[in-house]
Amino acid sequence: MKFIHLSDLHIGKRVNEFSMLDDQRYILAQILETIKLEKPDAVLIAGDIYDIPQPSVEAMNLLDSFLDELFSLGIHTMIISGNHDSAERISFGSKRMVNHMHICPAYDGKTHKVMLTDKNGEVDFYMLPFVKPVTVRSMFPDEDILDYTSAVRSAISHMNVDTSRRNVLIAHQFVTGATRCDSEEISLGGQDNIDASVFSPFDYVALGHIHGPQKVERETIRYCGTPLKYSFSERNHIKSVTVVQFDSKDNIQIEAKKLKPLRDMREIRGSYAEVISSTKSEDYIRVILSDETPIPDALSELRKIFPNIMRLEYDNSRTRLTDSGTQGIQNPKQLNPLEIFSTFYKERTQTEMDKKQTDFIKTLIQEIWEES
């Protein structure tokens, strides 16, 4: 059984106010060419199909044309919603889908499974859209569901997976240990973390949510990553399509097929004189100038060489002094909300929170996250 693992298309996304639709159209055409060459039995799309719950007409049309192409190839296509999607909008009309187009509806407590057959027998594909504890708890009120790990474990337990068979899960969650990027939606204090142990019934887990391609815990629990770079923290990523050859439970081959974007996302450092002499490029650029004084009209002049320059910054003795002298919380993205609040509380009161206060804030953070 051969399948292609995709996720986090984020169709309609804007990066620093630049529309990525042309870039997405280009990369989706390239993905289709890869699919035609590989001739997989199935294509799995693990959530965040769109970038926002109510996508533009242009974004919807682009997805529609991509799915039309897949449909015409006769390849089984399985789609789940991610945290950026509206599950109801993604699954609209799914009951009327025929043959090989499988779109998972919003989570309803039921098992959504597609069974495919190859020369080695049957493979079961389980589809689990992005879920929060509050959603799973509403389906199984008698179960002890306190966090994301217990929520996903509960959802999987109700799938009644036969572990003697070949099993694949398509899911969209943040697994503890995965490396994040700046372009991802950060949860309150890592409240959305789940432990990889919940995936033990599955031979391969096709994950979405994290933008950098990577494995977690074992080779077969994988994020394929985004097909495009959506932040400068991803500038060194090699974007790809993940191709999986699943012959038996102990024989799973994974290969990354590299993608080449219409425009790359790069960072250029140096003095204004050095940067202004660069070769003209259509790439998305962040320029970091080392000049000690601001250059008049630097952005407009640099845009003549880099029409798609996204950001202009300075790194000099003045900015470094300002950064080193900044009070308050350092590297807040690396801290969870409890740590941030604790630091803020200590700065304001010169005392540490006691256990009662800490427990109260923990509960409050959990409630806010579940309702957001």
Side-chain angles (χ1 to χ4, degrees):
M1 181 73 61
K2 180 190 281 190
F3 57 85
I4 283 181
H5 171 194
L6 304 171
S7 78
D8 297 88
L9 305 180
H10 287 279
I11 297 176
K13 187 173 183 65
R14 300 183 70 87
V15 179
N16 292 300
E17 299 308 313
F18 281 73
S19 170
M20 303 299 288
L21 273 173
D22 285 344
D23 304 81
Q24 292 169 335
R25 187 174 294 105
Y26 181 90
I27 212 69
L28 288 176
Q30 196 173 139
I31 289 171
L32 283 169
E33 289 304 311
T34 301
I35 291 170
K36 291 173 184 177
L37 286 171
E38 292 294 327
K39 297 181 172 59
D41 300 288
V43 173
L44 320 182
I45 309 179
D48 280 359
I49 313 304
Y50 295 119
D51 190 56
I52 56 175
Q54 298 184 46
S56 66
V57 172
E58 292 80 7
M60 295 173 66
N61 287 339
L62 179 54
L63 176 64
D64 192 46
S65 63
F66 178 65
L67 295 182
D68 275 348
E69 288 283 346
L70 283 178
F71 188 83
S72 69
L73 294 173
I75 297 171
H76 285 274
T77 302
M78 304 173 210
I79 303 173
I80 66 167
S81 56
N83 58 302
H84 279 251
D85 300 310
S86 163
E88 292 77 12
R89 286 183 169 86
I90 288 290
S91 62
F92 176 78
S94 60
K95 293 180 180 178
R96 293 182 290 280
M97 293 294 177
V98 295
N99 301 326
H100 45 270
M101 189 66 64
H102 315 277
I103 302 180
C104 187
Y107 185 70
D108 57 5
K110 298 177 183 177
T111 297
H112 295 274
K113 181 175 74 173
V114 177
M115 190 272 287
L116 300 182
T117 305
D118 65 3
K119 63 182 180 181
N120 298 309
E122 298 172 341
V123 180
D124 293 331
F125 293 84
Y126 293 82
M127 303 167 70
L128 179 65
F130 175 73
V131 292
K132 293 183 178 182
V134 66
T135 306
V136 183
R137 194 182 302 126
S138 67
M139 302 297 166
F140 310 110
D142 296 331
E143 297 187 16
D144 190 19
I145 299 171
L146 301 175
D147 54 20
Y148 273 76
T149 294
S150 55
V152 175
R153 181 178 284 117
S154 174
I156 289 173
S157 72
H158 288 275
M159 294 179 179
N160 299 315
V161 180
D162 181 351
T163 55
S164 68
R165 295 165 63 86
R166 287 182 290 167
N167 298 299
V168 176
L169 176 68
I170 312 167
H172 190 97
Q173 305 287 161
F174 174 47
V175 182
T176 303
T179 303
R180 290 190 186 268
C181 302
D182 290 346
S183 56
E184 294 152 12
E185 184 176 286
I186 304 299
S187 72
L188 289 172
Q191 296 290 320
D192 58 346
N193 286 17
I194 65 170
D195 191 274
S197 63
V198 303
F199 300 130
S200 59
F202 301 97
D203 303 296
Y204 185 90
V205 182
L207 288 166
H209 191 41
I210 300 300
H211 289 186
Q214 60 194 281
K215 65 176 183 179
V216 186
E217 294 277 329
R218 56 181 163 96
E219 290 289 338
T220 52
I221 300 178
R222 298 195 75 85
Y223 289 101
C224 61
T226 55
L228 289 170
K229 300 174 184 180
Y230 289 135
S231 73
F232 287 101
S233 66
E234 301 170 55
R235 64 186 181 278
N236 294 323
H237 287 188
I238 298 175
K239 300 300 186 179
S240 60
V241 168
T242 301
V243 181
V244 181
Q245 183 67 50
F246 188 5
D247 293 330
S248 64
K249 293 177 78 69
D250 57 358
N251 185 12
I252 302 176
Q253 305 298 320
I254 302 168
E255 185 178 6
K257 297 290 185 179
K258 187 177 178 180
L259 294 170
K260 183 176 175 58
L262 176 64
R263 289 173 280 253
D264 199 2
M265 189 171 284
R266 299 187 291 121
E267 181 182 284
I268 299 177
R269 289 176 174 264
S271 68
Y272 177 75
E274 292 169 336
V275 176
I276 201 71
S277 63
S278 301
T279 303
K280 188 171 184 178
S281 174
E282 296 286 331
D283 288 347
Y284 295 117
I285 303 292
R286 174 169 69 179
V287 173
I288 301 178
L289 297 179
S290 59
D291 301 84
E292 288 297 326
T293 57
I295 306 299
D297 299 321
L299 183 59
S300 59
E301 290 300 314
L302 288 169
R303 212 176 282 284
K304 295 174 183 177
I305 300 170
F306 307 118
N308 294 312
I309 185 172
M310 286 184 163
R311 292 168 63 179
L312 173 62
E313 302 170 10
Y314 284 85
D315 180 15
N316 53 34
S317 59
R318 177 179 52 82
T319 59
R320 287 191 291 272
L321 179 63
T322 301
D323 291 343
S324 64
T326 300
Q327 299 298 311
I329 299 168
Q330 301 298 314
N331 301 317
K333 288 186 177 181
Q334 297 177 16
L335 303 177
N336 65 47
L338 180 60
E339 292 169 329
I340 292 172
F341 189 88
S342 298
T343 302
F344 175 80
Y345 182 89
K346 185 176 180 179
E347 283 187 353
R348 293 297 182 270
T349 66
Q350 304 304 308
T351 60
E352 301 279 357
M353 289 195 301
D354 60 27
K355 185 178 185 304
K356 183 177 180 181
Q357 292 169 321
T358 300
D359 290 343
F360 173 76
I361 295 300
K362 281 182 180 178
T363 302
L364 186 62
I365 288 171
Q366 179 67 34
E367 290 175 354
I368 292 171
W369 172 243
E370 286 193 1
E371 293 175 3
S372 64

